[in-house]
Amino acid sequence: MAKRTFTPEFKLEAVKLVRERGVSISQAARDLGIHLNVLRAWLKAVDEDSKHPFPGPGQQRPEQAEIERLKKEVARLKTRSVPAYQGGRKYHRGRPRLPHQPPRTVA
């Protein structure tokens, strides 16, 4: 069975059916021929971002685009050369090397 896709207009109409007309979520899902959890996901998407609830395939919400840009920036900055000494201590496998200390004597 192929995955069904729905237009943003259809999704918004389904949400309006529940929100504005007072139809229960389960009844609306049955009437539209979709799974209950699909309709719940659409309702949640509208609650989270009413301006851009369904950006479409291959498109991102403006906030997601900014997050992706910042992640790339962080990755780029991490790939710059790391100094051999950090804070005056040599680092070995991510842990600071401590100077050798003699064993304690019990008095």
Side-chain angles (χ1 to χ4, degrees), residues 1 4 10 14 25-26 31 43 54 60 68 71 79 83 91:
M1 178 184 253
R4 297 188 303 173
F10 179 83
I25 297 172
S26 58
D31 293 345
L43 289 164
F54 312 111
Q60 294 179 331
E68 288 299 317
K71 282 182 180 180
T79 59
Y91 274 72

Side-chain angles (χ1 to χ4, degrees), residues 68-83 86:
E68 288 299 317
R69 186 190 68 76
L70 291 172
K71 282 182 180 180
K72 287 179 183 177
E73 176 82 13
V74 167
R76 184 182 64 80
L77 292 173
K78 281 185 176 180
T79 59
R80 288 186 175 179
S81 62
V82 178
Q86 294 183 2

Side-chain angles (χ1 to χ4, degrees), residues 21-74:
R21 296 185 191 156
V23 179
S24 70
I25 297 172
S26 58
Q27 182 62 44
R30 272 194 302 271
D31 293 345
L32 296 171
I34 59 175
H35 195 273
L36 177 67
N37 290 337
V38 172
L39 183 54
R40 283 189 178 148
W42 295 347
L43 289 164
K44 183 179 177 183
V46 171
D47 287 342
E48 289 175 355
D49 187 3
S50 61
K51 291 182 182 179
H52 304 95
F54 312 111
Q59 298 178 359
Q60 294 179 331
R61 293 184 177 126
E63 298 85 18
Q64 281 301 111
E66 179 69 11
I67 289 170
E68 288 299 317
R69 186 190 68 76
L70 291 172
K71 282 182 180 180
K72 287 179 183 177
E73 176 82 13
V74 167

